[in-house]
């Protein structure tokens, strides 16, 4: 009798850990998921998912005994918390264990665009160096004015990693924090004041297209944009136009509006560096995230409180 429904990819370590505690089934391996849910939905006590796959109201209705949705990732914008709260099903995620990794990804993207690394590497590998000579000089990574949209757990780790580069750091969010960085209550004003805007905020309706044509215009032709938050935060059409017309200098992107699809116009631009949503994707960090996602399930199965509930679920247990 399956008590755990798995909606996402898992690592071999997670599978081993899960097998000791649960009788698991995978939605993607079912030939007729709808029929399975109708026949066996009442047995399901737990769901394991990730930041990309939510659980619809229709599915929740078929799982009346569901006790927990554990999400393997920190961002949970794919999960409609109004629906899970109405069903009184708590949700957990994997905060903190991935802070350093995602911050490193943001730093790598910054370094890559400031120093024009992808084009320089291509110049060496392709043989262009011998044929065409030296490339135009890139700009420095030092003494930058970096504005962070979303100075949360990851944003703070990123700010710390910038210290050796002597960056002047500012941030925008809904609330001023007790930190040594300058606060801007207006994103356009911050974009005007910084030369590099780094987005590490959550996705969802509240942040949709926060980075739009107006913000990009404020960033200006010497300005750089990095996004490791969520693709939905950036108006991709406005970004493509700004990059194409050199109204901003360059962008470094780990996340996109319609993953895994990246618009062809974006992929053709020489002044954008792209990675396929790999912010937390290392063996070590995915191990830690997987362990926490499974430990949350085990805690609830053993009658304990979940370890890392999302803020919206805290009243549910
Ligand atoms: P936190 O909740 O710790 O931080 C989020 C920050 O965003 C807070 O400082 C918050 O400030 C700010 N924020 C939230 N809503 C808004 C808003 N409407 N307008 C402006 N600022 C806002 O989250 P984490 O640092 O742990 O993670 C941040 C995000 O990074 C995740 O939600 C996820 O989307 C993304 N991520 C991406 C990964 C990747 O692989 N690329 C991997 C992991 C995470 P305030 O409350 O003051 O507004």
């Amino acid at each position: 009798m399956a008590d755990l429904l798995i909606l996402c990819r898992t690592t071999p370590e997670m599978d081993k850990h899960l097998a000791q505690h649960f009788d698991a089934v995978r939605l993607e391996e079912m030939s007729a998921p709808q029929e399975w849910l109708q026949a066996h939905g009442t047995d399901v006590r737990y769901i394991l998912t990730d930041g990309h796959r939510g659980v619809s109201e229709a599915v929740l209705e078929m799982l009346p005994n569901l006790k927990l949705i554990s999400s393997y990732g920190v961002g949970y914008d794919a999960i409609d918390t109004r629906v899970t709260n109405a069903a009184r099903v708590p949700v957990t995620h994997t905060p903190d264990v991935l802070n350093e990794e995602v911050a490193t990804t943001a730093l790598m993207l910054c370094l890559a665009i400031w120093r024009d690394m992808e084009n320089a590497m291509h110049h060496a590998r392709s043989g262009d160096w011998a044929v065409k000579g030296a490339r135009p000089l890139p700009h420095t990574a030092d003494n930058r004015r970096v504005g962070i949209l979303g100075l949360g757990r990851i944003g703070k780790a990123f700010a710390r990693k910038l210290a050796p580069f002597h960056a002047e750091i500012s941030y925008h969010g809904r609330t001023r924090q007790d930190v040594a960085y300058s606060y801007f209550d207006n994103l356009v004003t911050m974009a005007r004041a910084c030369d590099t805007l780094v987005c590490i905020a959550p996705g969802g309706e509240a942040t949709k297209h926060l980075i739009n044509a107006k913000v990009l215009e404020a960033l200006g032709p010497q300005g750089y944009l990095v996004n490791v938050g969520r693709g939905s935060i950036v108006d991709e059409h406005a970004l493509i136009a700004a990059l194409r017309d050199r109204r901003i200098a360059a962008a470094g992107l780990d996340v996109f509006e319609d993953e895994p699809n990246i618009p062809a116009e974006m992929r053709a631009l020489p002044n954008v560096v792209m990675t396929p949503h790999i912010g937390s994707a290392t063996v070590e960090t995915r191990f830690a995230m997987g362990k926490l996602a499974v430990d949350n399930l085990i805690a609830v199965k053993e009658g304990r409180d979940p370890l890392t509930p999302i803020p919206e679920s805290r009243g549910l247990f």
Side-chain angles (χ1 to χ4, degrees):
M1 212 171 63
D3 58 353
L4 171 66
L5 181 62
I6 300 178
L7 309 184
C8 60
R9 287 214 199 120
T10 50
T11 61
E13 290 86 3
M14 288 166 81
D15 293 341
K16 216 166 129 187
H17 199 181
L18 286 168
Q20 291 164 8
H21 300 269
F22 301 94
D23 185 357
V25 283
R26 284 174 193 276
L27 197 70
E28 67 179 10
E29 287 174 3
M30 291 175 192
S31 51
Q34 195 70 15
E35 286 74 4
W36 188 91
L37 287 169
Q38 266 155 8
H40 304 285
T42 52
D43 298 338
V44 174
R45 301 285 191 276
Y46 316 99
I47 284 183
L48 177 64
T49 186
D50 62 15
H52 306 288
R53 281 155 270 243
V55 184
S56 71
E57 200 169 359
V59 168
L60 275 185
E61 276 170 11
M62 287 189 266
L63 310 175
N65 297 314
L66 191 65
K67 290 182 167 175
L68 182 71
I69 298 172
S70 170
S71 187
Y72 171 47
V74 68
Y76 52 91
D77 46 296
I79 296 173
D80 187 339
T81 55
R82 282 166 303 192
V83 169
T84 52
N85 276 6
R88 300 203 62 75
V89 176
V91 176
T92 58
H93 62 155
T94 62
D96 291 317
V97 292
L98 43 61
N99 292 351
E100 298 301 325
E101 212 67 75
V102 185
T104 299
T105 303
L107 180 62
M108 287 195 300
L109 289 171
C110 284
L111 295 173
I113 56 176
W114 288 330
R115 293 290 302 271
D116 197 20
M117 278 306 284
E118 188 174 355
N119 292 318
M121 287 156 84
H122 177 75
H123 204 62
R125 189 181 290 275
S126 66
D128 279 358
W129 185 20
V131 180
K132 299 180 181 169
R135 279 187 51 76
L137 294 176
H139 288 279
T140 182
D142 289 297
N143 303 306
R144 290 267 162 206
R145 283 173 288 124
V146 177
I148 301 176
L149 165 58
L151 187 75
R153 291 170 291 244
I154 300 169
K156 290 190 182 77
F158 169 68
R160 286 193 295 274
K161 283 186 200 274
L162 275 178
F165 297 96
H166 315 293
E168 185 186 312
I169 296 170
S170 54
Y171 70 101
H172 168 72
R174 293 162 302 181
T175 39
R176 182 191 289 271
Q177 305 182 43
D178 185 17
V179 290
Y181 315 124
S182 322
Y183 175 65
F184 282 87
D185 62 6
N186 183 295
L187 184 54
V188 173
T189 315
M190 184 171 80
R192 211 169 281 132
C194 68
D195 60 53
T196 306
L197 181 58
V198 180
C199 171
I200 321 184
E205 274 309 307
T207 57
K208 190 170 165 59
H209 290 187
L210 270 187
I211 296 179
N212 50 30
K214 216 168 152 191
V215 173
L216 296 171
E217 189 192 321
L219 195 54
Q222 312 296 321
Y224 298 86
L225 173 74
V226 164
N227 186 12
V228 297
R230 278 290 183 264
S232 58
I233 302 167
V234 177
D235 178 343
E236 227 162 57
H237 290 294
L239 176 61
I240 291 168
L243 286 165
R244 187 192 55 218
D245 303 342
R246 304 278 170 168
R247 282 183 279 112
I248 69 164
L253 310 172
D254 185 48
V255 287
F256 303 88
E257 281 207 81
D258 179 30
E259 295 177 9
N261 304 302
I262 305 176
E265 307 97 284
M266 177 87 85
R267 285 186 282 114
L269 291 167
N271 51 346
V272 58
V273 169
M274 293 168 288
T275 47
H277 203 145
I278 53 156
S280 66
T282 64
V283 169
E284 293 80 1
T285 294
R286 286 291 165 85
F287 176 83
M289 289 164 62
K291 182 167 182 328
L292 184 52
V294 178
D295 283 345
N296 269 303
L297 291 166
I298 294 170
V300 172
K301 184 160 188 176
E302 291 179 349
R304 291 179 280 126
D305 285 347
L307 308 174
T308 47
I310 62 168
E312 292 89 335
S313 290
R314 287 198 183 126
L316 293 179
F317 49 87

